[in-house]
Amino acid sequence: NVTDLNAVIMWTEKFTFDPKEGIDNPALVITDCTDSVWIPRPRLCVLKRKEGDTYGFNLRVERGSNGHVIRNVASGGIAARSGLRDGDRLLEVNNCYVDDVPHPEVARKIKLSGQQLCLLVLDGEEYEQAVAGSQDLRLLSGTLDEEPCKPPRLCHITKNPSSGLGISFTALEGEKGRFSVNLVKGGAAETAGVHKGDHLVWMNGAMVSHLTHSALNRMMKKCGNSITILVIDSESEKIYMQRKIPILPAMAVPHKLPFRARKLHLISGPEGYGFLLRMEKTLSGNIYHFLREINSGSPAERAGMQDGDVLLEVNEESVDSLGHDEIVERVKKSGKQVFLTTITQCGLGFYNQLGLSPLLFCDGEATEKETENMVDVQLSPDTNNGSSKLCTVKKGPLGYGFHLDSFLQRPGTFISEVASGGSGQRAGLVLGDVVLEVDGKNVEEKYLDDVITLVKNGGSCLSLLVMDQISYEKKKERDRTASNITNREQEEDFEISFL
């Protein structure tokens, strides 16, 4: 049939747009892109709660399901109103990718966020399809990150006797609650990390978006000798606003904060750790766990513990809801070593006044300085998001200059002592480092005696691949999570509630 043949030719010809025909051109009607690729569409959910309120959802790891699962979204609650749905999978918390992060760590990020929380989620069915199709979920979450932007900065400014705070604010014309920063060159604010042209987001715990310029000035006059502000450069702020992402202290880089929580690594001696734990009531009426009576020369003193410190975490688990006996039991179960997160009482008061968790920023500067000043140390990227150190230890007159110890009731060894000024310290070994390899041989599943034998056979020069204890435990947790994903029939449900 000639008519049919002409029709076939017409539909298979290359289409050239005719402006006279416009969108009524029939070729536009029948166009069907058979090569289109299905792309899952994540959703951004912003949750805001008041003091004492809950977000209204649970976060679970479930048998037979991948990822961090949103469950029990309370009808009419904050989570539901923000767009969270039952079965959603969590990809990001406050702009931080978490799909491959251990479940307790993800829950911790949510808890530390305070009264505002930004979650990037994907519908459960779309998530499972993406996993089945081997899609890179990290790139998927990056679909919202088309333009690079810098994180906000949380800056503490202490008044200079001669030049004051060195900062003032100009209201942006026609934009209520938005202020640009003016600086005194070389003044206190500039020294604290504030940049010329920054925009002000938050001051002393209060968002400024609802303030007039006169109200902001009154707040400045009441601040006393210091203020803490959240600022961001104007270009990055535009990107956050375009994506409707709130700018939160939990996303910030800290500058000149007067107090930080500290992580202490204690290795038990013959007489224990050498401190007492007491529950005490403060003048504000709140009850906290205080660290007292630090024995001279004890593991606690060597780790940097100070009398009167407030205990925040045991092995990265918050003690907020724990009683005295429960904390003691967790320390005992930790075996020969324990990680404690502490802060001074003044530091705790500082963060409470700002409405922030004292765990939001922890001081890791001491450990960083230790490793920066060592020689013969190479940092090796770890495929599980940690960093290991390759240390070359040369045998000296007193040996290698370190001692080894083993974990309680399981394989694995760690550095239990490093001689001051010895070969081990010069090579970069740090107290508590976990030994991964000895001269290229993996020893993670070997017991102490076997590792000591390998060290003795090392000759005059020994190569040790080590990793700090916290990073190692996170690595092991990620390994266990990955193993569980491939063996879901053996996995137990695990849930953390934000109801």
Side-chain angles (χ1 to χ4, degrees):
N1 188 305
V2 176
T3 303
D4 291 343
L5 179 59
N6 288 338
V8 172
I9 292 171
M10 182 181 71
W11 297 127
T12 57
E13 284 179 343
K14 182 177 179 181
F15 169 64
T16 302
F17 179 71
D18 185 345
K20 292 181 181 180
E21 296 184 25
I23 61 172
D24 293 327
N25 192 312
L28 290 176
V29 178
I30 66 162
T31 298
D32 186 15
C33 182
T34 57
D35 295 331
S36 62
V37 178
W38 171 76
I39 301 176
R41 297 294 179 188
R43 306 189 318 278
L44 192 66
C45 301
V46 179
L47 290 71
K48 299 180 182 180
R49 65 178 177 87
K50 296 179 181 178
E51 187 69 35
D53 288 345
T54 59
Y55 284 122
F57 72 96
N58 286 354
L59 187 68
R60 294 174 58 92
V61 172
E62 295 183 350
R63 183 171 51 249
S65 298
N66 294 300
H68 305 285
V69 188
I70 304 292
R71 290 295 187 202
N72 300 331
V73 180
S75 178
I78 294 170
R81 295 198 301 271
S82 77
L84 272 187
R85 297 196 291 259
D86 188 79
D88 281 343
R89 302 301 199 276
L90 187 57
L91 298 182
E92 289 184 1
V93 175
N94 294 333
N95 263 11
C96 179
Y97 183 75
V98 297
D99 184 68
D100 57 357
V101 174
H103 194 72
E105 193 175 330
V106 178
R108 187 173 185 269
K109 286 181 180 292
I110 294 175
K111 289 176 180 177
L112 295 185
S113 184
Q115 296 179 18
Q116 276 191 293
L117 179 63
C118 185
L119 303 180
L120 186 70
V121 298
L122 186 61
D123 174 80
E125 289 186 8
E126 290 192 355
Y127 179 92
E128 295 293 352
Q129 281 182 263
V131 171
S134 300
Q135 290 204 26
D136 189 336
L137 293 171
R138 187 180 291 274
L139 293 177
L140 178 63
S141 72
T143 55
L144 296 180
D145 195 20
E146 295 161 357
E147 297 177 72
C149 60
K150 297 175 182 177
R153 278 160 280 124
L154 189 66
C155 305
H156 183 76
I157 309 169
T158 302
K159 189 176 287 186
N160 186 298
S162 58
S163 59
L165 294 170
I167 190 171
S168 62
F169 303 100
T170 301
L172 297 178
E173 189 174 349
E175 299 186 60
K176 182 182 177 182
R178 298 190 64 215
F179 306 93
S180 179
V181 168
N182 308 306
L183 293 177
V184 173
K185 188 170 179 61
E190 189 174 64
T191 304
V194 185
H195 301 162
K196 183 180 179 181
D198 276 347
H199 286 183
L200 180 67
V201 178
W202 178 96
M203 179 188 289
N204 284 353
M207 300 296 288
V208 301
S209 55
H210 64 285
L211 296 180
T212 62
H213 190 251
S214 59
L216 184 65
N217 285 335
R218 286 196 298 271
M219 184 184 289
M220 282 279 290
K221 289 177 182 178
K222 294 178 181 178
C223 71
N225 291 322
S226 64
I227 57 170
T228 306
I229 61 175
L230 185 69
V231 295
I232 190 169
D233 70 273
S234 58
E235 290 303 313
S236 295
E237 184 191 41
K238 286 179 185 177
I239 297 171
Y240 276 88
M241 292 177 69
Q242 287 168 1
R243 300 174 190 165
K244 299 181 180 179
I245 298 174
I247 302 170
L248 307 176
M251 302 173 177
V253 177
H255 286 265
K256 299 290 184 179
L257 296 186
F259 304 100
R260 298 272 194 102
R262 296 182 301 135
K263 291 188 181 294
L264 310 180
H265 181 199
L266 282 68
I267 298 176
S268 180
E271 298 181 1
Y273 293 115
F275 72 94
L276 292 180
L277 178 69
R278 289 180 179 167
M279 290 184 69
E280 300 176 14
K281 183 180 287 189
T282 63
L283 294 176
S284 64
N286 295 319
I287 296 176
Y288 296 104
H289 306 279
F290 284 85
L291 306 171
R292 297 294 190 187
E293 298 184 27
I294 317 300
N295 294 340
S296 178
S298 67
E301 185 183 61
R302 291 198 299 271
M305 187 181 292
Q306 298 173 9
D307 187 80
D309 279 352
V310 179
L311 181 64
L312 302 176
E313 291 181 316
V314 174
N315 293 330
E316 294 198 328
E317 180 185 358
S318 173
V319 301
D320 270 353
S321 59
L322 300 181
H324 177 83
D325 292 340
E326 291 175 297
I327 296 174
V328 172
E329 185 63 24
R330 278 164 172 73
V331 172
K332 286 180 178 178
K333 285 184 177 179
S334 187
K336 295 182 178 181
Q337 60 177 337
V338 67
F339 288 88
L340 305 179
T341 309
T342 69
I343 195 168
T344 63
Q345 192 171 347
C346 289
L348 183 65
F350 171 77
Y351 285 100
N352 286 345
Q353 285 181 351
L354 295 179
L356 302 177
S357 168
L359 291 167
L360 198 54
F361 305 108
C362 286
D363 190 359
E365 293 176 358
T367 304
E368 289 168 9
K369 286 177 182 176
E370 273 186 313
T371 54
E372 283 174 0
N373 294 330
M374 299 301 181
V375 295
D376 295 332
V377 180
Q378 298 175 6
L379 289 180
S380 306
D382 181 71
T383 56
N384 289 303
N385 298 328
S387 287
S388 53
K389 294 181 296 184
L390 186 61
C391 302
T392 303
V393 190
K394 297 179 180 178
K395 201 169 189 177
L398 300 177
Y400 292 117
F402 67 88
H403 288 169
L404 294 172
D405 205 341
S406 61
F407 294 116
L408 189 65
Q409 297 179 341
R410 65 182 173 97
T413 55
F414 62 91
I415 306 296
S416 60
E417 186 177 341
V418 181
S420 178
S423 302
Q425 187 184 61
R426 291 196 301 274
L429 293 179
V430 176
L431 189 71
D433 279 346
V434 179
V435 182
L436 307 180
E437 295 181 2
V438 175
D439 286 338
K441 296 178 182 177
N442 188 282
V443 297
E444 290 180 75
E445 297 303 318
K446 292 186 179 294
Y447 287 90
L448 181 61
D449 290 345
D450 296 325
V451 178
I452 289 176
T453 299
L454 286 173
V455 170
K456 287 180 177 179
N457 294 337
S460 61
C461 191
L462 187 67
S463 175
L464 296 179
L465 184 67
V466 299
M467 181 181 287
D468 71 90
Q469 176 74 21
I470 292 178
S471 297
Y472 181 72
E473 291 300 333
K474 289 180 180 179
K475 171 182 176 295
K476 295 294 285 185
E477 180 62 33
R478 284 190 289 267
D479 290 344
R480 284 192 291 270
T481 301
S483 175
N484 287 341
I485 289 173
T486 59
N487 297 280
R488 287 288 173 178
E489 68 279 359
Q490 299 176 5
E491 182 182 85
E492 295 182 0
D493 289 353
F494 181 55
E495 174 179 285
I496 292 180
S497 176
F498 297 97
L499 291 171

